[in-house]
Amino acid sequence: MNSTAPDTWHILNIARTGDEREIKRAYARQLKLNRPEDDPAAFQRLRDAYEEALRMAAHDQHAASMIALRKKDAVPAVNMDGRRSATAPDDSGFAVPDPLKEAASLWQEWLNAAGGLHLKTLEARPVMANFSVREEFERMALRHCATAACHDQTRVKFMAHFQWGERVAQLHAIDAQAAREMLARHHATCSLHHLEDSGRFNTALALLMAPPPASSRLLANAGLTHQLLELIHLIRWQHPDLLAYKINAEAYTWWERQARAKKYFTRTAKMSALGGLALYASCLFMHQLGEFQFAFPHLNAFLLAQAISFALFGAYAFHRPSALLDHMERFKEARFGNWLRHERHQKKWQFGWLALYAAASLLLFVPHPAPFVVYTETLAFAACALLALLSASVQLKPEAYVLLLPLSLLLAYGMQELGFEDFHFAARLAFSLCLVLMLVRSGPQLYAATALPEPWRASLRTVWLLGGTAVFFITATTILPSSVAVIAAWLWCLAAMPLYEFKMAGLSRHLIWPALILGKFALFSGVSFFKELPDARMVLPEALLLFIAILILGNLYHAAQQKNIYT
């Protein structure tokens, strides 16, 4: 410790005091101006002054308590006639030889019981009827609760027993410094319980309350880093007592410095890899369509796409254009703020595009369409794709959009081999994108939007399965003309959109392996089945019928399981 006593209080920018809470608050204020990453030497001087001030405050408190104790022992009890007496009666008429000694005896008995002695048991003692004894006992409890050695539960018990929360003014009359310290520690405990009960900051709280670790590898998780920064800001401006009494100050400073310096996360790497895959997939599909030729082997093209993606995402992470992003955010808020906050959540924006998509998709099955039909389809599907992406922004995360592109490209390329080659690749891509979004986002939300009664869902699912089975096999035969059969199968697929859920939660784990084995055999037999269809365009609705039927069967099984559990 290199600082002298005057320098200590000058560095903390406060007058000399024995109040540890005031010292810790001053340290927290000066910590904002002397960050370790900006000026390590100034931070070290501040830390040394803080530790020295705490030692001086502890010494002053001990000295003051000893002086007060000697003064109290030196004051003799006086009777009504002015003569000194060995006893000190109070309003209750009960007199004790020495109130301080009796209170100390009760307090020591309570300490020896290690909390096992109930406070109401002590209150029942005849000696506690003496006001002086009770006041001295309360003073000892107050000073004990003002120390770090007092457990939080013990402090809460004393708060409730003596009703300290309603007697703040009397507490300051008993011992002002101990009252301030005790209340500050109690507030810190309440703040900690409030944050723990919220459940939002459990991991971040555990990090701040433990000593700083050797490395900050946990900050590779972007969610944890943002949670940590939010908690640090919350503690600094709304819960300062936490920093003084519950949070490790060194860990608080260390984690704040590490979190603010963190720019690249695991999510960034995943997004970079997905972006590179999407870029390579786009080039590969363009190559297959003859619109783009690779000048080097495919492996090199894949590595180049990954390198470009990682470079772009890394540049964005380390050199984020904050001014441009803020300007775009203000522009978005000014022009589209009300729509983004309210209107896009309404049913007409969430599912209104489905009507246009269903109508436009029927023209997709027209054999040998005219050029006007092709252009109309392209514009209609482009509008549907734009509306579908905007509506999906309510639920989907940014990385989900990166996954949508390869899936849509794969489906669009497959449609070329299924008899849809008369339509432009852009139309097939927009159609595929809308189909994937419809499969992911339909189900319960769309069913609720249709205002159908909930009890009808199971019956409607059963009816759809029976009808879907009939449509599946009728379409595969020549009972109906191929143009009519393919449209009927597609319409039956669209009718299932409100009925299924794109998950099979609750399926027994014992059904997984049989389902995989059955799917393996169905795949081999299904290849020949689809090849024998009278029209290649039937493969798309037939495969979709089979896929939706599996989902609805899983949903029915899950609903039956839940019904058995509840009954």
Side-chain angles (χ1 to χ4, degrees):
M1 176 69 194
N2 298 325
S3 301
T4 61
D7 290 339
T8 297
W9 306 107
H10 177 72
I11 292 172
L12 292 173
N13 197 24
I14 57 173
R16 177 162 181 167
T17 178
D19 188 354
E20 292 185 5
R21 184 164 173 245
E22 180 64 25
I23 294 171
K24 292 176 179 179
R25 284 183 173 176
Y27 172 70
R29 289 194 298 268
Q30 295 300 317
L31 190 59
K32 301 175 185 178
L33 306 176
N34 300 277
R35 298 183 179 278
E37 63 270 18
D38 298 334
D39 190 348
F43 171 75
Q44 187 59 44
R45 289 194 297 271
L46 175 63
R47 185 70 189 180
D48 293 342
Y50 169 67
E51 295 175 354
E52 179 65 18
L54 289 178
R55 285 194 289 269
M56 295 170 67
H59 179 270
D60 292 348
Q61 290 179 12
H62 178 71
S65 62
M66 294 301 296
I67 292 174
L69 187 61
R70 285 196 295 269
K71 287 182 179 181
K72 186 176 290 293
D73 291 342
V75 177
V78 180
N79 287 330
M80 296 297 294
D81 57 359
R83 292 178 300 171
R84 295 183 179 181
S85 173
T87 62
D90 68 348
D91 295 339
S92 66
F94 187 83
V96 293
D98 189 346
L100 181 61
K101 183 177 180 181
E102 292 294 333
S105 175
L106 291 173
W107 179 250
Q108 191 61 43
E109 182 181 357
W110 185 86
L111 290 178
N112 293 339
L117 184 60
H118 204 279
L119 290 175
K120 290 185 178 180
T121 304
L122 288 178
E123 282 287 345
R125 301 287 177 84
V127 71
M128 286 292 282
N130 185 283
F131 177 79
S132 300
V133 174
R134 179 183 173 85
E135 185 180 24
E136 290 299 333
F137 182 86
E138 185 175 1
R139 180 180 287 107
M140 293 176 184
L142 178 62
R143 290 173 178 173
H144 174 70
C145 292
T147 63
C150 178
H151 196 274
D152 292 339
Q153 294 181 354
T154 302
R155 190 177 295 110
V156 170
K157 290 179 180 179
F158 277 111
M159 286 278 296
H161 180 76
F162 289 110
Q163 299 180 344
W164 283 342
E166 303 171 3
R167 300 171 52 234
V168 176
Q170 297 179 27
L171 287 180
H172 282 77
I174 294 175
D175 191 326
Q177 184 173 343
R180 288 193 296 269
E181 187 76 10
M182 185 276 300
L183 290 174
R185 292 185 182 277
H186 180 68
H187 292 159
T189 301
C190 293
S191 297
L192 181 61
H193 290 167
H194 170 72
L195 293 176
E196 289 176 343
D197 292 341
S198 69
R200 294 177 54 203
F201 306 104
N202 291 344
T203 305
L205 270 175
L207 293 177
L208 294 181
M209 296 179 69
S215 68
S216 60
R217 63 179 181 274
L218 291 176
L219 295 182
N221 185 332
L224 177 59
T225 304
H226 295 155
Q227 180 191 109
L228 194 60
L229 288 174
E230 183 181 357
L231 178 62
I232 287 173
H233 178 81
L234 197 64
I235 290 174
R236 174 169 291 150
W237 299 109
Q238 297 186 22
H239 304 284
D241 290 330
L242 265 180
L243 181 58
Y245 299 106
K246 295 295 183 181
I247 300 298
N248 188 315
E250 185 179 358
Y252 181 91
T253 305
W254 189 87
W255 279 113
E256 182 181 15
R257 182 174 66 251
Q258 297 294 328
R260 294 193 184 281
K262 190 68 176 177
K263 304 293 184 183
Y264 201 86
F265 304 100
T266 304
R267 186 177 66 182
T268 312
K270 292 179 180 179
M271 291 291 293
S272 302
L274 289 174
L277 181 61
L279 179 60
Y280 173 72
S282 303
C283 295
L284 183 61
F285 281 109
M286 292 176 66
H287 172 74
Q288 295 292 335
L289 294 173
E291 300 180 10
F292 177 82
Q293 296 295 328
F294 284 114
F296 30 79
H298 289 276
L299 177 60
N300 293 347
F302 175 77
L303 296 177
L304 178 61
Q306 291 291 333
I308 293 174
S309 179
F310 271 89
L312 291 177
F313 276 93
Y316 178 82
F318 289 101
H319 304 284
R320 188 176 182 181
S322 301
L324 177 61
L325 293 176
D326 292 341
H327 178 74
M328 293 174 60
E329 186 66 26
R330 290 193 297 270
F331 176 81
K332 183 180 71 173
E333 180 64 26
R335 298 296 179 90
F336 309 105
N338 184 59
W339 184 85
L340 291 172
R341 286 193 299 270
H342 306 292
E343 294 186 12
R344 67 168 176 164
H345 296 271
Q346 297 177 6
K347 297 177 183 179
K348 63 179 181 180
W349 285 106
Q350 287 296 306
F351 303 107
W353 62 274
L354 289 175
L356 176 61
Y357 176 73
S361 63
L362 295 178
L363 295 177
L364 196 67
F365 299 97
V366 174
H368 308 297
F372 175 76
V373 175
V374 174
Y375 295 142
T376 304
E377 283 287 87
T378 304
L379 292 176
F381 285 137
C384 287
L386 179 60
L387 292 174
L389 288 172
L390 289 176
S391 66
S393 63
V394 174
Q395 292 181 336
L396 298 185
K397 296 181 180 179
E399 50 265 29
Y401 288 96
V402 181
L403 290 173
L404 285 175
L405 181 59
L407 290 175
S408 302
L409 286 171
L410 182 62
L411 184 57
Y413 179 72
M415 289 176 64
Q416 184 179 1
E417 307 296 329
L418 299 178
F420 298 97
E421 65 277 358
D422 291 331
F423 292 91
H424 195 270
F425 179 76
R428 300 198 303 270
L429 178 61
F431 170 84
S432 303
L433 182 62
C434 292
L435 178 59
V436 174
L437 287 173
M438 182 174 64
L439 288 172
V440 173
R441 300 194 62 246
S442 296
Q445 296 181 359
L446 183 57
Y447 189 86
T450 59
L452 292 172
E454 182 64 28
W456 289 11
R457 182 183 295 187
S459 301
L460 291 174
R461 283 173 172 173
T462 305
V463 171
W464 187 93
L465 283 174
L466 295 175
T469 305
V471 171
F472 184 84
F473 289 105
I474 291 175
T475 304
T477 62
T478 57
I479 297 176
L480 294 175
S482 60
S483 57
V484 177
V486 69
I487 292 177
W490 176 250
L491 289 176
W492 202 254
C493 291
L494 294 179
M497 292 300 115
L499 300 179
Y500 73 89
E501 292 185 57
F502 196 64
K503 59 182 180 180
M504 298 187 199
L507 283 180
S508 172
R509 63 180 182 275
H510 303 295
L511 297 178
I512 295 177
W513 287 110
L516 291 177
I517 296 173
L518 180 61
K520 179 180 178 180
F521 288 106
L523 180 63
F524 286 110
S525 60
V527 171
S528 60
F529 171 79
F530 288 124
K531 285 183 178 180
E532 295 175 359
L533 289 174
D535 190 342
R537 295 174 301 168
M538 292 182 180
V539 174
L540 178 62
E542 289 284 89
L544 193 58
L545 275 174
L546 187 61
F547 175 70
I548 295 175
I550 294 174
L551 287 178
I552 291 182
L553 282 172
N555 299 150
L556 288 173
Y557 177 80
H558 173 60
Q561 274 191 331
Q562 295 298 108
K563 184 177 180 180
N564 291 336
I565 291 174
Y566 294 142
T567 54

